[in-house]
Amino acid sequence: MKRREALQHIGLGVSAGLIFPAWLSSCKSDDPKPEITYDGVVGVIGAGAAGLHVADILRSKGIPVRIFEASDRIGGRVRSLQRLTQPSTALLFDPDNLPTSTYPTELGAQFVLGADSAWGKIISQLNVQMVEFGTLGSESYFVDGTIKTAADLAGDADFIAAQNFVTNLASNTSTGSVQQAIAGAAINSRMYAILNSWIGNRLGTSDDQLGAKAVAEALALQTRNNQQFVLKSNLMEDALLSRFSNVIPYVEVNSVVKSVNYSGDKIVVSGDTTGAGSFTAEVDRLIVTVPVSILKSGLIAFSPALPSAKTTALSRMAMDASIRVRLEFKKNFWGANSTYIYGGTQAPQYYNAGLGRDDAHKTLDITIQGPKAAELSAKGKDMVLVILAELDAVFNGQATENVRRDGQNNILYVIMDWSKEPYIGGGTAYIKAGGSNQDKLDLAEAIDKKLFFAGEATDNAGEYGTISGALQSAERASQEVVDSIVTV
């Protein structure tokens, strides 16, 4: 098999438990020479999904790469709790009492959205077992101070109106926030928290921060199906690193880029290497894949300054606080066949993580994004008490009674607070009210055929804040780089 053909499928694997196609080992010495002869170097800032994929594509074509990663790990916002993971300011847990569940504890990206998506295809090619959990049960909702199932609400006119609003969101013409569009549709306020769970929280913020126009445009661009999968036993992080193991040797961790000077023939990248002083590198092309939060913060100084179209686009984008909490319980009090619990005012999304994977373990994965995440972040580990209180109010105190504790009766939890994670500083990018999909196009546009941009915030195929969005942006950016080289 030719290497170029193999690279279209999968890189070599490094994760125990992954099953690889037989053809992968059949690449022989008759592999062709590199597709492109290039004596320059392309730099990549960031070793998340976008950075790894863009480097992998360029390497497969014979283009040398250097990947500068600010943190001490590879994978960006794809992160799983592993046996050797250590607690930090952003990640709180008891290393002596890890979760007992047999399925992964995902701290960041958790779902595979669409088997036909870019990430879904990679997972399928890895032969990693997935569970389409949405078909195994139904959602439950906080409504009127109690918990109701979808069946309970089947005849509720307000609930039906909320469902119709989401169904027709792609054709919504509002230019304000999603919350303003909801109010304009005269939907009863008792549905506001549910709609925030369905839309704002899912897309990285809250309905009153999220721009309705950009959401409508993104939904209209989506081509994948709406299936939702989780990995049955493999870790998302392992899957990502397995797929892109070929470029891991080119990642320079602890390399904090602080300045990019692209005024000359060579691009000068400068920064600090954690614990080892400063560094300066010269590259011929540079692809920036850092999160929107980092671009907006000014942590990387560009010379010349970024064009006004790009800074204007960034001003219309945001990346809010994001928290993932895992709690284990002695019994399932929320319903064995419940997929999600939506509509919480403290925690908008509770996910029944054991469904279809291991029903013996009773686990809720809780995702909080936007202003509420910032509020809970300030409470530190005490946010768990707030979450338990919200559950206790509708489940007759069963959350606090059944939550897993250690031998000293301390509540056990895993908290990943992405707002406190250095060099990331939040969840996923979104476009605010008044913005549009054009802002993504402006952010993605290359500068002088030598400075390029990738990452989920620059995807133009409707993949809001997803691994697939990051991968698709990498494919676009790598093609732009190739075009800039072959047309010189």
Side-chain angles (χ1 to χ4, degrees), residues 306-329:
L306 295 178
S308 60
K310 213 169 284 291
T311 57
T312 298
L314 284 169
S315 73
R316 293 176 180 145
M317 292 182 170
M319 191 167 133
D320 287 357
S322 179
I323 294 172
R324 171 72 45 72
V325 179
R326 169 162 285 195
L327 294 174
E328 293 186 328
F329 298 89

Side-chain angles (χ1 to χ4, degrees), residues 170 203 212-223 431 437 440 459-464:
L203 297 180
K213 181 178 180 180
V215 174
E217 290 173 333
L219 290 172
L221 288 168
Q222 277 185 8
T223 58
I431 298 174
N437 194 64
K440 286 193 170 190
D459 173 62
N460 190 35
E463 290 293 346
Y464 246 105

Side-chain angles (χ1 to χ4, degrees), residues 52-85:
L52 295 174
H53 192 27
V54 76
D56 185 60
I57 294 170
L58 295 176
R59 283 279 307 165
S60 75
K61 295 179 179 295
I63 299 173
V65 299
R66 289 184 67 177
I67 310 170
F68 306 100
E69 168 55 44
S71 75
D72 61 357
R73 57 173 294 276
I74 299 170
R77 284 165 280 178
V78 180
R79 187 174 185 184
S80 311
L81 187 67
Q82 312 235 25
R83 201 173 339 184
L84 299 179
T85 303

Side-chain angles (χ1 to χ4, degrees), residues 362-480:
K362 322 303 182 185
T363 306
L364 287 175
D365 281 353
I366 301 132
T367 302
I368 310 142
Q369 308 208 73
K372 179 56 68 172
E375 178 185 323
L376 292 180
S377 175
K379 296 181 179 295
K381 64 182 182 180
D382 287 343
M383 72 175 75
V384 172
L385 301 178
V386 176
I387 293 168
L388 290 175
E390 178 169 67
L391 291 169
D392 282 342
V394 292
F395 289 111
N396 300 315
Q398 293 188 77
T400 297
E401 178 184 346
N402 289 287
V403 71
R404 183 178 170 230
R405 300 171 184 266
D406 66 12
Q408 285 73 48
N409 205 37
N410 297 310
I411 296 170
L412 294 173
Y413 51 79
V414 177
I415 299 172
M416 182 68 209
D417 185 345
W418 285 98
S419 65
K420 295 178 180 177
E421 182 69 10
Y423 316 118
I424 292 180
T428 60
Y430 67 92
I431 298 174
K432 298 183 288 187
S436 70
N437 194 64
Q438 183 61 45
D439 295 311
K440 286 193 170 190
L441 296 175
D442 290 341
L443 182 59
E445 187 172 359
I447 301 174
D448 297 336
K449 295 186 177 180
K450 58 183 178 181
L451 187 60
F452 304 84
F453 295 83
E456 49 90 10
T458 70
D459 173 62
N460 190 35
E463 290 293 346
Y464 246 105
T466 66
I467 301 177
S468 290
L471 297 174
Q472 290 170 173
S473 76
E475 291 163 7
R476 169 193 49 77
S478 62
Q479 187 60 55
E480 291 171 351

Side-chain angles (χ1 to χ4, degrees), residues 286-315:
L286 183 66
I287 306 172
V288 180
T289 73
V290 300
V292 157
S293 56
I294 302 304
L295 287 175
K296 288 173 68 73
S297 71
L299 289 174
I300 302 176
F302 291 90
S303 180
L306 295 178
S308 60
K310 213 169 284 291
T311 57
T312 298
L314 284 169
S315 73

Side-chain angles (χ1 to χ4, degrees), residues 93-163:
F93 68 99
D94 181 352
D96 295 324
N97 288 281
L98 292 173
T100 60
S101 56
T102 59
Y103 40 86
T105 301
E106 298 297 351
L107 306 173
Q110 185 169 33
F111 303 116
V112 179
L113 303 177
D116 57 343
S117 66
W119 183 231
K121 290 175 182 177
I122 285 176
I123 293 297
S124 296
Q125 291 156 359
L126 281 166
N127 286 333
V128 172
Q129 187 175 0
M130 297 190 294
V131 175
E132 188 179 358
F133 65 91
T135 64
L136 302 178
S138 60
E139 300 168 357
S140 299
Y141 304 91
F142 291 84
V143 180
D144 303 333
T146 187
I147 287 291
K148 295 186 178 182
T149 66
D152 295 332
L153 295 169
D156 188 308
D158 294 334
F159 184 73
I160 293 169
Q163 288 180 311

